[in-house]
Amino acid sequence: MILAYGVANLLQSAAAARTTVHHTFDPGLLVRLAGQRTYLLGIGCQAFGFILAFLARRDLPLFLVQASVAAGLGVTALLGVLVLKWSLPTAEIFLLTLLLAGITALVMAAEPAHSRRLGTIVVVLLAASVLVIGIAGVFAVRLHGALGSVVLGSLAGIDFSAAAIAARPLANEHSAAGFFTNPLLYLLVIHSLVGQLLLGLAMQRGSTTAAVAAMDAAGAVPAAIVGLLLLGDRIHEGRGWLAAVGFVITLAAVIGLTRYAEPQHHHATAPTRRPDPTTPLRTAATGR
């Protein structure tokens, strides 16, 4: 899952950089991105990672699975160095090492267990959050540069966190009828699609690392809290301190990567001007 998400981040970033910057919360961005083979390959990798994450959530606590999703950022950075010749500052090497240590601690602390069912009120709140995040995205899309990457990436993370909360009990459905009639399935799909749009907009605005790190940081905390309080997520007896330390280290490393991230992609369009909808797709220069 970690490897699949890391490759997906890199491919989707490259595709987003080749697409004219969108200044509105327009789902048409996904349609335009879907016209690129690179983006479709990225979606394929993300879908594979999503399936693996969904299966993992059947038994593993959300604090472990969501933190492991964040570790995909390390794979993205390493692939960027090897494939796209990005530079990797010493600070990022240190933070990636911390990220690995944090994930290791979480693996040692997590105790596998099936999920509890979500109450009706929580399901309604998950449905309402789609509208709230969508409205926030309409305003956030006006931001540019690193700030736009971080804010839109954070909103995407909250969306994916809601999808993860829906996925944990859904993965424990034992019948096809129960699976397809469960409202959590459709909330999972809607939250994932809105999150995907927000992530694409975030990646267009500068730093892939900043966008993905903000997404992972914002997505890990809500899922971890809901998992522990409502879904029956467990920690091995006597290892609560290890889980806490691992989670804090992982989040600190991910958030720290937003501080040291520099834009990998630069668009030809000026941020203060709206792109002409008739203008063909442009290929952006890649550097770091």
Side-chain angles (χ1 to χ4, degrees), residues 96-191:
L96 290 172
T97 303
L98 278 184
L99 189 62
L100 178 60
I103 294 297
T104 301
L106 289 172
V107 170
M108 295 173 63
E111 180 179 356
H114 287 317
S115 170
R116 298 192 195 124
R117 290 186 175 274
L118 283 176
T120 303
I121 295 177
V122 180
V123 175
V124 171
L125 289 175
L126 282 175
S129 65
V130 176
L131 181 60
V132 174
I133 296 170
I135 293 173
V138 170
F139 292 97
V141 78
R142 302 174 184 176
L143 301 174
H144 305 285
L147 179 61
S149 290
V150 171
V151 173
L152 287 165
S154 297
L155 288 174
I158 296 172
D159 244 328
F160 288 130
S161 181
I165 292 169
R168 176 95 160 98
L170 181 64
N172 285 280
E173 283 285 355
H174 299 295
S175 68
F179 183 83
F180 288 105
T181 59
N182 194 324
L184 292 176
L185 172 62
Y186 304 98
L187 288 175
L188 168 63
V189 172
I190 293 171
H191 273 293

